[in-house]
Amino acid sequence: MWSAEDMARASVRRQGEPLSREQVADKVAEAGRRERESGQQLHVAVDRGPTTATLGTSRSSGWPGAEWRRVAALMAAEDWPVYEPERDVQGQNVGARA
């Protein structure tokens, strides 16, 4: 069984193509925006009470913001001009857990 972290990592790796730092920064920004939107929707749902649509929903389930932030930090630390999933050692073992 995959964890939410595994699913997020797999989602990022499925991009398959090399991504520039700017493209990764855009992914981080988009994920942050979606996380904020999800948080706002959850707050509205709490005010109205849970529904089947909101039960079991979490910020990490739909948008892999933490994983995109990890990739951005990795690129900065390793001074990579582009992100290539096959170079990402931490992200390589996701399929082994399935």
Side-chain angles (χ1 to χ4, degrees):
M1 180 106 184
W2 284 19
S3 69
E5 181 181 279
D6 291 337
M7 291 171 54
R9 189 160 291 136
S11 173
V12 168
R13 290 186 59 76
R14 276 193 302 272
Q15 299 284 325
E17 59 189 85
L19 298 172
S20 70
R21 287 182 184 188
E22 182 178 280
Q23 289 171 307
V24 170
D26 289 345
K27 297 286 188 180
V28 170
E30 178 183 349
R33 180 182 58 80
R34 297 206 182 236
E35 287 171 341
R36 284 188 300 280
E37 289 173 359
S38 294
Q40 291 169 352
Q41 290 171 358
L42 288 175
H43 285 121
V44 169
V46 167
D47 292 341
R48 293 183 185 156
T51 66
T52 56
T54 60
L55 290 173
T57 303
S58 74
R59 286 179 153 186
S60 63
S61 65
W63 297 102
E67 180 62 12
W68 282 117
R69 289 186 288 274
R70 185 193 69 80
V71 167
L74 174 66
M75 289 178 70
E78 299 291 330
D79 197 29
W80 292 353
V82 296
Y83 174 71
E84 298 175 42
E86 61 274 1
R87 293 177 63 191
D88 184 356
V89 177
Q90 183 175 356
Q92 288 180 355
N93 296 325
V94 175
R97 294 187 198 176

